[in-house]
Amino acid sequence: ATENGTAMKSIATLPPLWADTGWAVMDRLELELEPGANASTLDVDLQYSDDGGFTWSTAVGRSMGASGARGVRVYWNRLGKFRQRVIRFVFDPGAVLALYGADITARGMRS
């Protein structure tokens, strides 16, 4: 998509995750997707917010693989501890794609 001739990034934001009343550690996050066949760059950035979306972490980028690939799995490890977390994915401009799902591996911590 473009606006006034400028390519726009696509953003997908997941619903908030809650660690009940304690802390949790996010060990792994895996995203399953299909990058578009017309994308010039095939990268996705992960960001998270532990304050309800007011501030965001530094983006951690991953390649989505070859243009037109199917069933691509992109993952991040060791994403730290949280009580409440919002996750978003930022896709390069022009990357037409399909998102199939996200799988998160997290564990509770004793306080």
Side-chain angles (χ1 to χ4, degrees):
T2 62
E3 185 171 316
N4 290 330
T6 302
M8 296 174 32
K9 292 185 175 195
S10 298
I11 299 175
T13 305
L14 301 182
L17 302 171
W18 297 91
D20 205 14
T21 59
W23 289 94
V25 175
M26 188 175 295
D27 294 317
R28 182 180 173 100
L29 188 151
E30 184 173 320
L31 184 65
E32 187 174 359
L33 53 85
E34 190 171 303
N38 65 342
S40 58
T41 57
L42 298 169
D43 293 326
V44 56
D45 289 335
L46 165 75
Q47 291 182 296
Y48 57 84
S49 172
D50 293 340
D51 62 6
F54 290 99
T55 60
W56 294 91
S57 68
T58 302
V60 179
R62 295 287 186 268
S63 171
M64 290 190 285
S67 180
R70 297 184 187 268
V72 173
R73 293 176 186 265
V74 180
Y75 64 91
W76 294 262
N77 291 315
R78 301 179 62 176
L79 295 170
K81 70 179 186 174
F82 66 95
R83 287 182 188 266
Q84 178 269 337
R85 179 166 284 176
V86 179
I87 297 169
R88 74 178 177 191
F89 302 99
V90 181
F91 300 93
D92 282 337
V96 177
L97 53 97
L99 295 176
Y100 298 123
D103 183 56
I104 295 167
T105 304
R107 56 190 159 86
M109 293 177 54
R110 295 183 187 192
S111 28

